[in-house]
Amino acid sequence: IQGKGSSFIIKIPLTLAIVSALIVAAGNERFAISQISVVELVRVTNKSEHQIELINNSPVLRLRNRLLPLVNLRELLNLNYDQGKESKNETFIVVSQVGTYTFGIIVDRVFDTEEIVVKPVAPILRNITMFSGNTILGDGSVIMILDPNGIAGATGETTVGNDDQLVDEAEKASGRGAEKTSMLIFKAGGDYLRAVPLALVARLEEIDISKIEHSFGKPVVQYRGQLMPLIKAHETTNMVTEGMQPILVFSDANRSMGLIVDEIVDIVEDTLHVELKADIPGVLGTAVINGKATDVVDTVYYLTLAFGNWFANVENQGEASEPSILIVDDSAFFRNLLSPLLSSAGYHVTAVESPIIALELMNKGNQFDLIVSDIEMPDMDGFEFAIEVKKSESWKSTPLIALSSHTTEDDFERGREVGFDDYVAKFDRDNLLKVIGEFLHSKESKFLENTSEA
């Protein structure tokens, strides 16, 4: 710094890092987002396969087999936008993932990727969680670096943190934590609220009532080149007589089923804890979701009504006294099916998508009363996972149940050889609940017996 007749130097320590970043624009401002935070980039046009919908005035994206919550960056940051001559028929969405929460960031333009030097945020801006730093581009422009954790948190849809915090949350889930689940709320057969995990819903559709046909007296519709069965969410659900009928589409592999509903109400993020069990077909029980008593739908019931062999060939939390179960399955579809089923049966459920993540929990000292593992998984299959579990000191005595669509005698034998205690067909839910109950009861009996002897 130079003054009159003198000069001096102030040394300011900076923590710098060089990362690859995607440069985007929202409004008339450019921003950078770390490439490691970008899962994929989606361009949406009027004619593209992917479409944006509004649910209770909140945007969601139809992306392959799931609905993705969206955040409009321009609206979030209150930015002005002079669109000029640019096309109004396309939207760019940066798909990002924070822990297990995947969402899309709507931006106005996408530029190229650049290697950038990350500089800390100025103290005056540190209370703005949407930014993780700033950088200077090659043209001399100073831009802010977006923080997906802060953006997700600013939407109020999820509570997120850094990687260590996310691991802690996973650990808490195994030890009575309160993990939140995105739920789709709808009405069917009256004003009663019903809910289904959003991750299970492939699409929200409105079917022209004139397109509905019948097969063996049951409604079907030609959907994406196949006949899709339509099932009423409640026996008193009335299909519209003209116009468009709202349905929820569930898809897995090459099969789809449409659930006929009266009205789609909202998407909410809340802890899924079924408090009142139900003996009503199609309902797991009642939970308090978003402050209201809501019936949690038994998706398995409706899927098997549509296809009796739906599961034949397809690859939350309460009191501390309830047993804890770890589910290991690479299919989000099955994880979201099993979690509410086991939760409603009175178990604490932790679900992970790979054996590698499960073994990381083991190495961190997490304990479970029972483990349910799929067999057919990439990177490490269920047999390899069982071998690692049985070699460990901490988990070797934990009951291990295999879950698979292959249930031949050879499969049973191989499962026994590597350490599985039992083998259950995917998805024989009654047998699964029975087997889990028997193992946990046996484990509790042994514990009481050892305690009395002591």
Side-chain angles (χ1 to χ4, degrees):
I1 300 177
Q2 293 184 343
K4 292 183 178 180
S6 64
S7 63
F8 57 93
I9 297 175
I10 298 177
K11 293 184 178 180
I12 304 176
L14 296 176
T15 302
L16 303 179
I18 299 177
V19 300
S20 178
L22 177 68
I23 309 302
V24 300
N28 297 318
E29 300 290 337
R30 285 185 292 175
F31 300 92
I33 180 169
S34 174
Q35 193 75 17
I36 200 172
S37 300
V38 179
V39 177
E40 62 181 298
L41 185 64
V42 179
R43 177 175 172 266
V44 178
T45 67
N46 294 335
K47 298 181 179 180
S48 65
E49 176 186 355
H50 310 300
Q51 295 295 320
I52 296 176
E53 297 181 2
L54 289 178
I55 299 179
N56 199 29
N57 294 323
S58 298
V60 294
L61 173 68
R62 296 184 178 193
L63 184 61
R64 291 184 289 277
N65 289 328
R66 65 177 303 180
L67 291 170
L68 203 66
L70 299 179
V71 180
N72 191 311
L73 186 61
R74 175 162 32 97
E75 294 178 0
L76 183 64
L77 299 178
N78 295 318
L79 299 174
N80 296 321
Y81 185 31
D82 180 14
Q83 194 165 14
K85 297 181 180 179
E86 294 184 25
S87 171
K88 298 181 181 180
N89 297 321
E90 64 179 3
T91 302
F92 296 97
I93 297 172
V94 179
V95 179
S96 185
Q97 183 169 354
V98 178
T100 58
Y101 178 58
T102 304
F103 66 104
I105 304 172
I106 300 175
V107 298
D108 297 316
R109 283 165 291 170
V110 175
F111 301 99
D112 205 348
T113 57
E114 292 189 21
E115 296 291 324
I116 63 171
V117 177
V118 179
K119 299 183 179 181
V121 177
I124 195 174
L125 298 177
R126 284 178 183 167
N127 64 324
I128 305 178
T129 59
M130 280 82 77
F131 303 131
S132 62
N134 58 68
T135 189
I136 302 175
L137 299 181
D139 61 4
S141 302
V142 178
I143 66 172
M144 303 302 296
I145 302 172
L146 299 174
D147 183 357
N149 293 268
I151 292 175
T155 66
E157 295 297 326
T158 184
T159 302
V160 294
N162 56 34
D163 292 342
D164 293 336
Q165 290 172 323
L166 291 169
V167 171
D168 291 341
E169 289 174 8
E171 293 174 356
K172 288 178 182 177
S174 65
R176 321 303 183 252
E179 184 178 344
K180 292 189 174 182
T181 303
S182 292
M183 305 293 293
L184 177 66
I185 310 298
F186 63 93
K187 291 181 180 180
D191 292 329
Y192 298 106
L193 295 177
R194 297 173 182 268
V196 62
L198 179 61
L200 288 180
V201 182
R203 294 181 181 273
L204 305 180
E205 295 280 11
E206 286 190 332
I207 302 295
D208 189 334
I209 193 68
S210 64
K211 302 294 185 182
I212 296 179
E213 304 173 81
H214 288 81
S215 174
F216 299 101
K218 297 182 179 180
V220 296
V221 67
Q222 296 184 36
Y223 184 77
R224 296 178 173 245
Q226 295 180 320
L227 282 177
M228 180 174 70
L230 300 178
I231 305 295
K232 289 185 177 182
H234 191 270
E235 58 183 9
T236 61
T237 301
N238 294 317
M239 295 176 61
V240 298
T241 55
E242 60 180 14
M244 309 299 286
Q245 173 67 50
I247 64 171
L248 312 182
V249 177
F250 299 85
S251 296
D252 195 43
N254 60 348
R255 288 182 290 192
S256 297
M257 181 272 286
L259 190 65
I260 301 172
V261 302
D262 293 331
E263 177 187 356
I264 296 170
V265 177
D266 200 359
I267 291 178
V268 300
E269 189 91 4
D270 207 342
T271 302
L272 178 58
H273 175 50
V274 180
E275 298 185 23
L276 300 178
K277 309 302 186 295
D279 295 326
I280 304 172
V283 179
L284 290 173
T286 303
V288 177
I289 300 177
N290 201 29
K292 297 181 180 179
T294 306
D295 291 339
V296 180
V297 171
D298 181 1
T299 314
V300 175
Y301 171 79
Y302 295 103
L303 294 177
T304 51
L305 282 182
F307 294 94
N309 64 341
W310 180 286
F311 300 100
N313 299 301
V314 180
E315 299 287 321
N316 323 326
Q317 322 308 344
E319 299 300 322
S321 61
E322 296 178 356
S324 60
I325 296 178
L326 175 65
I327 299 173
V328 185
D329 197 315
D330 65 307
S331 169
F333 187 86
F334 278 100
R335 290 198 306 274
N336 283 283
L337 278 174
L338 289 179
S339 293
L341 174 67
L342 298 181
S343 176
S344 67
Y347 303 120
H348 291 285
V349 181
T350 300
V352 297
E353 63 267 28
S354 76
I356 295 173
I357 297 177
L359 293 175
E360 289 176 357
L361 292 177
M362 180 186 73
N363 293 333
K364 289 182 175 292
N366 288 268
Q367 293 295 328
F368 300 92
D369 294 302
L370 184 140
I371 302 171
V372 178
S373 175
D374 187 21
I375 295 298
E376 299 83 17
M377 293 182 287
D379 299 329
M380 177 185 289
D381 63 24
F383 296 122
E384 295 169 322
F385 173 60
I387 293 172
E388 294 298 319
V389 168
K390 294 305 178 181
K391 285 195 308 185
S392 71
E393 288 297 322
S394 57
W395 283 10
K396 66 180 180 181
S397 61
T398 304
L400 187 59
I401 298 176
L403 194 66
S404 175
S405 57
H406 304 290
T407 54
T408 66
E409 187 57 38
D410 290 340
D411 296 319
F412 293 153
E413 183 60 32
R414 186 180 178 191
R416 285 189 287 266
E417 289 175 356
V418 298
F420 279 108
D421 297 286
D422 210 328
Y423 215 102
V424 179
K426 196 177 191 177
F427 184 81
D428 185 349
R429 59 175 181 169
D430 292 335
N431 191 33
L432 177 63
L433 290 173
K434 177 183 176 183
V435 169
I436 289 175
E438 289 174 350
F439 273 104
L440 293 179
H441 177 72
S442 174
K443 187 175 181 179
E444 181 181 359
S445 299
K446 289 181 181 178
F447 173 77
L448 293 175
E449 181 181 339
N450 294 335
T451 302
S452 62
E453 289 178 356

